[in-house]
Each structure stands twice: as structure tokens, then as C-alpha cells.
Amino acid sequence: MTTPQMPIDAAQAIGQIAVALPGSTAVFRRLKLDYCCGGQISLKQAAADKGLAIEPILIELAALQRSDAAPQFASASELIDHILVRFHDVHRAQLPELIAMAKRVEAVHRDHPETPAGLAALLAEIEGELLEHMQKEEQVLFPMLKSGGNPFVVHPIGMMRSEHVEHGANLDRLAALTRDMTPPAEACTTWRALYAGLRQLADDLVSHIHLENNVLFPQFEAPPADTGCGSGGCACSGE
């Protein structure tokens, strides 16, 4: 069953929406809606002050909401299509906005002892590695899997599994740099929205890797042969 999403409330403070809904900051920045210093006013009022209709904004924000439901797929091709839309496209949208916010936080709060110095650079590194990884999947591995696979597909799968380990290590670096993505109590709206976005990036990347490692890839990997203990007795029992 799909988890129902709460509707976006136009009466809610725009700053609260920026923190609660990762990705919304990109919408607000494009529309020149001040969610940081002016974040205490309602989204409806912020839009009205700019002469903007509220309904298109609400529709765009609603599209950013994520479902926690575990999807079911009839085929590997359907699963791959889901991965492309739900994760590849989302990562490509997430990272540029997170990098922009990290640069702003690092610049504005450079003298704060908890400022995550180097975060923008780390995110840029993660973006580069992830874009290269996804391109390999889209251009090489996924077409092979959609065509039914072959005996040699285990090699690119092994490479992707190895790179997944590296992505996990990058998430550990992110957590260490940001105190487990916990902003200080006095953090501004941008800082809090940045860390909320980082938490969603981490959650999405873990879910992405899980679907590939534990659902998609095993469909094309031969299970290890069960050779038993052989005719010379069972070595693992000490006999």
C-alpha cells in the first residue's frame, strides 16, 4: 500500500516548508521567494508578494514528495525503469541544489565553529562519482540486463557493487563532516534545509543501492555451487 502524502499547506511558513521538503529550496530560489531571512511568512503570502499564483507552486512542491512504500515489479526491466526515474533522475536534481546551499552556508557562517567547511567540495566529488557511476549503468549494464543478461554480465555487476561500497563510504564522510547531518540549534533556515536535503540524499542513495544489490543484480548472478564437503570428510567439522 502506498503511504499517503500530506498535502502542501499554503498557509504554512515558507521557511518551515523549505526544511521539511527537500528540493523545495530550488523551487523557491528560482521563483525568488525568500525562505531564509523572510521564512516566517506563509507560502501563500510570499507568493502573493511576488505576484505569483499559488496553485502552480503547490503542484510543483507536491511532485517533490516521496513515498516510503516498497514497490513491486513484474520484471527486471520495470525495476530498472523505476531506478532510472526514482533515483538516477532524483540524484541529478538533488546534488546541484545541495552544493549551492553548502557554498552559501560555508560562506555566510564561515566563523561558526560547527560550519561544515569543505562540504561543498565533498558534495561536488560525490556528484562527479555518482554521475559517472549512473552513466555506466545507463549505457552499459542496464541495456545488458534489459536484454536478458549474459554470462559476462557478472563483471560489470561486480564493478557496480564495488562502486556502491565507495558511495557508502562517502555517506560516512558526509555524516562525519555534518555531525550526522544535525544543524546547531541557532542554524538559519538554509542551513537546516541543507541538512534535511542531505538526509534525504543519504536515504535515497541507500534505497537505490539496496534495490540494485539485493533485488536487481541477484536475478542475473548465478548462485554459488553447492559442492558439499566432498568425499574426504567434512573439514569444517574438524573430522
Side-chain angles (χ1 to χ4, degrees):
M1 178 182 295
T2 300
T3 303
Q5 299 293 334
M6 294 297 292
I8 304 297
D9 185 357
Q12 188 176 8
I14 187 172
Q16 293 176 353
I17 296 173
V19 174
L21 184 60
S24 61
T25 56
V27 176
F28 297 150
R29 287 197 304 110
R30 191 187 77 246
L31 297 175
K32 295 182 170 54
L33 297 175
D34 182 6
Y35 62 85
C36 194
C37 298
Q40 72 279 2
I41 68 173
S42 70
L43 172 60
K44 183 177 181 179
Q45 184 61 52
D49 290 347
K50 290 290 186 179
L52 300 172
I54 191 64
E55 286 303 322
I57 299 174
L58 293 175
I59 291 171
E60 189 169 358
L61 294 177
L64 297 172
Q65 293 182 310
R66 309 279 185 250
S67 171
D68 294 329
Q72 300 294 324
F73 302 97
S75 67
S77 289
E78 285 187 9
L79 175 54
I80 289 170
D81 289 341
H82 170 76
I83 289 170
L84 291 172
V85 173
R86 174 61 184 84
F87 297 110
H88 285 211
D89 289 351
V90 169
H91 294 328
R92 287 188 171 102
Q94 287 171 318
L95 282 157
E97 176 65 10
L98 292 173
I99 292 169
M101 284 196 290
K103 288 179 178 178
R104 183 174 178 182
V105 168
E106 289 184 64
V108 173
H109 303 287
R110 64 174 65 88
D111 296 326
H112 194 289
E114 294 183 29
T115 296
L119 177 58
L122 174 56
L123 288 171
E125 179 183 339
I126 290 172
E127 180 185 40
E129 292 179 2
L130 198 52
L131 289 176
E132 182 179 356
H133 174 87
M134 293 188 298
Q135 186 177 47
K136 292 175 187 175
E137 291 185 332
E138 292 164 6
Q139 296 184 356
V140 179
L141 180 58
F142 286 173
M144 293 173 69
L145 300 185
K146 280 195 166 191
S147 67
N150 60 57
F152 304 103
V153 79
V154 294
H155 301 298
I157 285 178
M159 179 181 292
M160 295 302 98
R161 285 187 179 277
S162 177
E163 292 183 4
H164 287 167
V165 173
E166 296 172 8
H167 297 329
N170 282 336
L171 291 181
D172 290 339
R173 294 169 64 194
L174 269 182
L177 187 57
T178 60
R179 297 171 62 248
D180 285 327
M181 300 157 197
T182 305
E186 68 277 14
C188 69
T189 302
T190 299
W191 198 339
R192 289 185 289 126
L194 167 63
Y195 280 17
L198 291 177
R199 289 192 295 272
Q200 185 178 75
L201 171 68
D203 289 345
D204 283 348
L205 189 52
V206 168
S207 296
H208 179 181
I209 291 172
H210 160 69
L211 275 182
E212 292 186 0
N213 277 2
N214 302 323
V215 181
L216 177 63
F217 293 165
Q219 298 180 44
F220 299 90
E221 296 170 314
D226 183 5
T227 57
C229 293
S231 58
C234 184
C236 55
S237 65
E239 295 180 3

